[in-house]
Amino acid sequence: QVQLVESGGGLVQAGDSLRLSCAASGRTFSTYAMAWFRQAPGKERELVATIGTRSSTYYVDSVKGRFTISRDNAKNTVYLQMNRLKPEDTAVYYCATVSSARPGLYDYWGQGTQVTVSS
């Protein structure tokens, strides 16, 4: 029911910023909590941030103070503003919908966007 398309990744230097976008299809975007995940080479997929339907937020400790998740329901889009990027932030970043029926599960996924941070 939901299609997600990430964009905004790229190659940046340590200390730089990027803003990722995740555009969603459909008319029910505002009813979904949303999440950003990342998967670095050789690493397990990691939950980075979530934003609830009322814009409550969660961040993994490693990005607190640097990343900001936000949403614009009028545009069916969730964003991940990434500041003071570090080489360890290098990963493919995915957005996903959070299951309302089963918290901790993720129903729909985007294709991912590559973020590479050089030192």
Side-chain angles (χ1 to χ4, degrees):
Q1 185 176 358
V2 178
Q3 289 78 50
L4 305 173
V5 179
E6 302 97 332
S7 62
L11 173 62
V12 298
Q13 293 182 303
D16 285 352
S17 298
L18 280 174
R19 188 181 73 163
L20 306 184
S21 298
C22 173
S25 67
R27 298 178 60 84
T28 60
F29 175 77
S30 64
T31 71
Y32 289 95
M34 299 293 296
W36 284 98
F37 285 79
R38 66 187 180 186
Q39 189 163 25
K43 304 294 185 181
E44 190 171 292
R45 184 169 292 178
E46 175 186 38
L47 177 64
V48 176
T50 63
I51 185 164
T53 58
R54 296 179 182 269
S55 295
S56 60
T57 58
Y58 160 84
Y59 302 93
V60 69
D61 284 348
S62 59
V63 309
K64 285 180 180 175
R66 299 190 297 119
F67 290 12
T68 302
I69 188 171
S70 61
R71 66 191 300 156
D72 186 340
N73 289 341
K75 293 181 169 61
N76 275 20
T77 301
V78 62
Y79 304 96
L80 187 67
Q81 177 67 45
M82 305 184 294
N83 297 328
R84 306 198 311 278
L85 282 161
K86 303 175 180 179
E88 51 262 47
D89 296 319
T90 295
V92 177
Y93 284 72
Y94 302 88
C95 65
T97 60
V98 181
S99 175
S100 58
R102 299 178 183 269
L105 298 180
Y106 306 91
D107 292 332
Y108 301 97
W109 294 80
Q111 83 290 344
T113 186
Q114 176 71 46
V115 172
T116 302
V117 185
S118 63
S119 60

